[in-house]
Short mmCIF file of all heavy atoms in Angstrom, two decimals:
data_model
loop_
_atom_site.label_atom_id
_atom_site.label_comp_id
_atom_site.label_asym_id
_atom_site.label_seq_id
_atom_site.Cartn_x
_atom_site.Cartn_y
_atom_site.Cartn_z
N ASP A 189 -19.85 -7.95 6.62
CA ASP A 189 -18.77 -8.65 5.92
C ASP A 189 -18.16 -9.69 6.85
O ASP A 189 -18.53 -9.79 8.00
CB ASP A 189 -17.70 -7.67 5.42
CG ASP A 189 -17.20 -6.76 6.54
OD1 ASP A 189 -17.30 -7.13 7.72
OD2 ASP A 189 -16.71 -5.68 6.22
N ILE A 191 -15.02 -9.90 7.85
CA ILE A 191 -13.77 -9.46 8.46
C ILE A 191 -13.94 -9.45 9.97
O ILE A 191 -14.85 -8.84 10.51
CB ILE A 191 -13.37 -8.07 7.94
CG1 ILE A 191 -13.10 -8.15 6.45
CG2 ILE A 191 -12.16 -7.55 8.68
CD1 ILE A 191 -12.86 -6.82 5.80
N VAL A 193 -12.63 -8.55 13.76
CA VAL A 193 -11.83 -7.55 14.46
C VAL A 193 -11.66 -8.00 15.90
O VAL A 193 -12.63 -8.33 16.57
CB VAL A 193 -12.50 -6.16 14.40
CG1 VAL A 193 -11.73 -5.15 15.22
CG2 VAL A 193 -12.64 -5.69 12.97
N PHE A 196 -8.18 -4.53 21.11
CA PHE A 196 -6.86 -4.47 21.73
C PHE A 196 -6.97 -4.72 23.22
O PHE A 196 -7.91 -4.26 23.87
CB PHE A 196 -6.21 -3.11 21.50
CG PHE A 196 -5.90 -2.83 20.06
CD1 PHE A 196 -6.47 -1.75 19.41
CD2 PHE A 196 -5.02 -3.62 19.36
CE1 PHE A 196 -6.17 -1.47 18.09
CE2 PHE A 196 -4.71 -3.36 18.03
CZ PHE A 196 -5.30 -2.28 17.40
N TYR A 209 4.46 3.33 19.31
CA TYR A 209 3.57 3.23 18.16
C TYR A 209 2.11 3.47 18.54
O TYR A 209 1.19 3.02 17.87
CB TYR A 209 3.74 1.88 17.43
CG TYR A 209 3.52 0.64 18.26
CD1 TYR A 209 2.26 0.06 18.35
CD2 TYR A 209 4.57 0.02 18.91
CE1 TYR A 209 2.05 -1.07 19.10
CE2 TYR A 209 4.37 -1.13 19.66
CZ TYR A 209 3.11 -1.67 19.74
OH TYR A 209 2.91 -2.81 20.49
N PRO A 211 0.34 6.28 18.21
CA PRO A 211 -0.45 6.93 17.15
C PRO A 211 -0.98 5.95 16.11
O PRO A 211 -2.11 6.06 15.67
CB PRO A 211 0.53 7.92 16.53
CG PRO A 211 1.52 8.21 17.63
CD PRO A 211 1.66 6.92 18.38
N GLU A 212 -0.16 4.97 15.72
CA GLU A 212 -0.62 3.96 14.74
C GLU A 212 -1.74 3.11 15.33
O GLU A 212 -2.71 2.78 14.66
CB GLU A 212 0.55 3.08 14.30
CG GLU A 212 0.16 1.97 13.37
CD GLU A 212 -0.43 2.45 12.04
OE1 GLU A 212 -0.13 3.58 11.61
OE2 GLU A 212 -1.20 1.68 11.44
N MET A 213 -1.60 2.76 16.62
CA MET A 213 -2.62 1.94 17.27
C MET A 213 -3.93 2.72 17.38
O MET A 213 -5.01 2.16 17.16
CB MET A 213 -2.15 1.49 18.63
CG MET A 213 -2.99 0.42 19.25
SD MET A 213 -2.04 -0.36 20.55
CE MET A 213 -3.29 -1.37 21.27
N LEU A 214 -3.85 3.99 17.73
CA LEU A 214 -5.05 4.83 17.79
C LEU A 214 -5.70 4.94 16.42
O LEU A 214 -6.93 4.92 16.31
CB LEU A 214 -4.71 6.21 18.34
CG LEU A 214 -4.39 6.27 19.82
CD1 LEU A 214 -3.82 7.64 20.19
CD2 LEU A 214 -5.62 5.96 20.65
N SER A 215 -4.88 5.03 15.38
CA SER A 215 -5.41 5.08 14.02
C SER A 215 -6.17 3.78 13.69
O SER A 215 -7.28 3.83 13.14
CB SER A 215 -4.27 5.29 13.03
OG SER A 215 -4.73 5.16 11.71
N GLN A 216 -5.56 2.64 14.00
CA GLN A 216 -6.22 1.35 13.74
C GLN A 216 -7.50 1.22 14.56
O GLN A 216 -8.50 0.70 14.08
CB GLN A 216 -5.27 0.20 14.07
CG GLN A 216 -4.14 0.05 13.10
CD GLN A 216 -4.63 -0.24 11.70
OE1 GLN A 216 -5.52 -1.04 11.49
NE2 GLN A 216 -4.05 0.45 10.74
N PHE A 217 -7.45 1.67 15.82
CA PHE A 217 -8.63 1.59 16.69
C PHE A 217 -9.77 2.44 16.14
O PHE A 217 -10.93 2.01 16.12
CB PHE A 217 -8.27 2.02 18.11
CG PHE A 217 -9.41 1.93 19.06
CD1 PHE A 217 -9.83 0.69 19.53
CD2 PHE A 217 -10.06 3.05 19.50
CE1 PHE A 217 -10.90 0.59 20.42
CE2 PHE A 217 -11.13 2.97 20.39
CZ PHE A 217 -11.53 1.74 20.84
N SER A 218 -9.43 3.65 15.65
CA SER A 218 -10.50 4.52 15.14
C SER A 218 -11.04 4.02 13.80
O SER A 218 -12.22 4.19 13.51
CB SER A 218 -10.00 5.96 15.02
OG SER A 218 -9.03 6.06 14.01
N LYS A 219 -10.18 3.40 12.97
CA LYS A 219 -10.63 2.89 11.66
C LYS A 219 -11.41 1.59 11.78
O LYS A 219 -12.42 1.39 11.13
CB LYS A 219 -9.43 2.63 10.75
CG LYS A 219 -8.76 3.85 10.22
CD LYS A 219 -7.59 3.42 9.35
CE LYS A 219 -6.71 4.57 8.97
NZ LYS A 219 -5.52 4.13 8.24
N ASN A 220 -10.88 0.67 12.60
CA ASN A 220 -11.40 -0.70 12.60
C ASN A 220 -11.95 -1.17 13.94
O ASN A 220 -12.54 -2.23 14.01
CB ASN A 220 -10.30 -1.67 12.17
CG ASN A 220 -9.69 -1.28 10.85
OD1 ASN A 220 -10.40 -0.94 9.92
ND2 ASN A 220 -8.38 -1.32 10.77
N GLY A 221 -11.72 -0.44 15.02
CA GLY A 221 -12.17 -0.87 16.34
C GLY A 221 -11.26 -1.88 16.99
O GLY A 221 -11.56 -2.41 18.04
N GLY A 222 -10.14 -2.17 16.39
CA GLY A 222 -9.20 -3.16 16.93
C GLY A 222 -8.31 -3.68 15.83
O GLY A 222 -8.13 -3.04 14.79
N LEU A 223 -7.78 -4.87 16.04
CA LEU A 223 -6.88 -5.49 15.08
C LEU A 223 -7.68 -6.33 14.10
O LEU A 223 -8.43 -7.22 14.49
CB LEU A 223 -5.88 -6.38 15.83
CG LEU A 223 -4.84 -7.08 14.98
CD1 LEU A 223 -3.90 -6.05 14.36
CD2 LEU A 223 -4.05 -8.06 15.83
N THR A 224 -7.52 -6.04 12.81
CA THR A 224 -8.24 -6.82 11.80
C THR A 224 -7.52 -8.14 11.56
O THR A 224 -6.30 -8.20 11.55
CB THR A 224 -8.36 -6.05 10.47
OG1 THR A 224 -7.06 -5.69 10.03
CG2 THR A 224 -9.21 -4.82 10.62
N ALA A 225 -8.29 -9.18 11.35
CA ALA A 225 -7.72 -10.51 11.15
C ALA A 225 -7.28 -10.74 9.72
O ALA A 225 -6.56 -11.67 9.43
CB ALA A 225 -8.73 -11.58 11.55
N VAL A 226 -7.70 -9.89 8.81
CA VAL A 226 -7.37 -10.05 7.40
C VAL A 226 -6.53 -8.86 6.96
O VAL A 226 -6.94 -7.72 7.15
CB VAL A 226 -8.66 -10.11 6.53
CG1 VAL A 226 -8.32 -10.21 5.06
CG2 VAL A 226 -9.52 -11.26 6.96
N ALA A 227 -5.35 -9.11 6.38
CA ALA A 227 -4.52 -8.03 5.85
C ALA A 227 -5.07 -7.65 4.48
O ALA A 227 -4.89 -8.36 3.51
CB ALA A 227 -3.07 -8.48 5.74
N ASP A 228 -5.75 -6.53 4.44
CA ASP A 228 -6.41 -6.09 3.21
C ASP A 228 -6.05 -4.64 2.98
O ASP A 228 -6.26 -3.80 3.85
CB ASP A 228 -7.92 -6.26 3.36
CG ASP A 228 -8.68 -5.94 2.08
OD1 ASP A 228 -8.13 -5.27 1.19
OD2 ASP A 228 -9.82 -6.36 2.00
N ALA A 229 -5.52 -4.33 1.82
CA ALA A 229 -5.09 -2.96 1.52
C ALA A 229 -6.25 -1.98 1.59
O ALA A 229 -6.06 -0.81 1.84
CB ALA A 229 -4.43 -2.91 0.15
N SER A 230 -7.49 -2.43 1.37
CA SER A 230 -8.62 -1.52 1.45
C SER A 230 -8.93 -1.12 2.89
O SER A 230 -9.55 -0.11 3.11
CB SER A 230 -9.86 -2.15 0.80
OG SER A 230 -10.28 -3.26 1.55
N LEU A 231 -8.49 -1.91 3.86
CA LEU A 231 -8.73 -1.58 5.26
C LEU A 231 -7.70 -0.62 5.80
O LEU A 231 -7.93 0.10 6.75
CB LEU A 231 -8.70 -2.85 6.12
CG LEU A 231 -9.83 -3.84 5.89
CD1 LEU A 231 -9.62 -5.06 6.76
CD2 LEU A 231 -11.15 -3.19 6.21
N ASP A 232 -6.51 -0.63 5.23
CA ASP A 232 -5.42 0.14 5.77
C ASP A 232 -4.51 0.58 4.65
O ASP A 232 -4.38 -0.10 3.64
CB ASP A 232 -4.66 -0.72 6.78
CG ASP A 232 -3.68 0.09 7.59
OD1 ASP A 232 -3.62 1.32 7.45
OD2 ASP A 232 -2.95 -0.53 8.37
N ASP A 233 -3.86 1.70 4.84
CA ASP A 233 -2.95 2.20 3.82
C ASP A 233 -1.60 1.48 3.83
O ASP A 233 -0.83 1.59 2.88
CB ASP A 233 -2.71 3.69 4.01
CG ASP A 233 -4.00 4.48 3.86
OD1 ASP A 233 -4.88 4.04 3.13
OD2 ASP A 233 -4.09 5.54 4.49
N THR A 234 -1.29 0.79 4.92
CA THR A 234 0.00 0.12 5.02
C THR A 234 -0.17 -1.38 4.94
O THR A 234 -1.16 -1.93 5.39
CB THR A 234 0.69 0.45 6.36
OG1 THR A 234 -0.15 0.04 7.42
CG2 THR A 234 0.97 1.94 6.48
N PHE A 235 0.80 -2.03 4.34
CA PHE A 235 0.81 -3.49 4.26
C PHE A 235 2.14 -3.97 4.83
O PHE A 235 3.19 -3.50 4.40
CB PHE A 235 0.64 -3.96 2.82
CG PHE A 235 0.69 -5.46 2.70
CD1 PHE A 235 -0.38 -6.23 3.09
CD2 PHE A 235 1.82 -6.10 2.22
CE1 PHE A 235 -0.34 -7.61 3.00
CE2 PHE A 235 1.88 -7.47 2.12
CZ PHE A 235 0.79 -8.23 2.51
N ILE A 236 2.10 -4.86 5.78
CA ILE A 236 3.31 -5.36 6.41
C ILE A 236 3.77 -6.62 5.70
O ILE A 236 3.00 -7.56 5.53
CB ILE A 236 3.06 -5.68 7.91
CG1 ILE A 236 2.56 -4.45 8.64
CG2 ILE A 236 4.30 -6.25 8.56
CD1 ILE A 236 3.53 -3.30 8.66
N SER A 237 5.03 -6.62 5.29
CA SER A 237 5.63 -7.78 4.67
C SER A 237 6.61 -8.40 5.66
O SER A 237 7.56 -7.75 6.07
CB SER A 237 6.36 -7.35 3.40
OG SER A 237 7.08 -8.43 2.87
N ARG A 262 8.32 -3.84 16.63
CA ARG A 262 7.43 -2.67 16.52
C ARG A 262 6.42 -2.81 15.40
O ARG A 262 5.27 -2.39 15.53
CB ARG A 262 8.23 -1.40 16.29
CG ARG A 262 8.96 -0.94 17.50
CD ARG A 262 9.75 0.30 17.18
NE ARG A 262 10.55 0.66 18.32
CZ ARG A 262 10.47 1.81 18.95
NH1 ARG A 262 9.65 2.73 18.52
NH2 ARG A 262 11.21 2.06 19.99
N HIS A 263 6.84 -3.39 14.27
CA HIS A 263 6.00 -3.35 13.07
C HIS A 263 5.64 -4.72 12.49
O HIS A 263 4.81 -4.80 11.61
CB HIS A 263 6.68 -2.53 11.98
CG HIS A 263 7.07 -1.15 12.44
ND1 HIS A 263 6.18 -0.16 12.68
CD2 HIS A 263 8.29 -0.64 12.72
CE1 HIS A 263 6.81 0.92 13.08
NE2 HIS A 263 8.08 0.66 13.12
N GLY A 264 6.30 -5.77 12.92
CA GLY A 264 5.99 -7.09 12.41
C GLY A 264 6.59 -7.40 11.05
O GLY A 264 6.25 -8.38 10.43
N LEU A 266 8.52 -5.45 7.31
CA LEU A 266 8.85 -4.22 6.58
C LEU A 266 7.66 -3.32 6.46
O LEU A 266 6.56 -3.72 6.26
CB LEU A 266 9.36 -4.57 5.17
CG LEU A 266 10.70 -5.27 5.13
CD1 LEU A 266 11.01 -5.70 3.71
CD2 LEU A 266 11.78 -4.37 5.64
#
Side-chain angles (χ1 to χ4, degrees):
D189 53 24
I191 296 173
V193 175
F196 294 119
Y209 57 90
E212 176 62 25
M213 192 162 172
L214 288 169
S215 172
Q216 289 299 316
F217 181 75
S218 67
K219 287 179 190 175
N220 306 316
L223 182 66
T224 56
V226 178
D228 185 342
S230 67
L231 293 177
D232 191 5
D233 298 331
T234 59
F235 178 75
I236 302 298
S237 173
R262 287 179 186 239
H263 306 289
L266 292 174

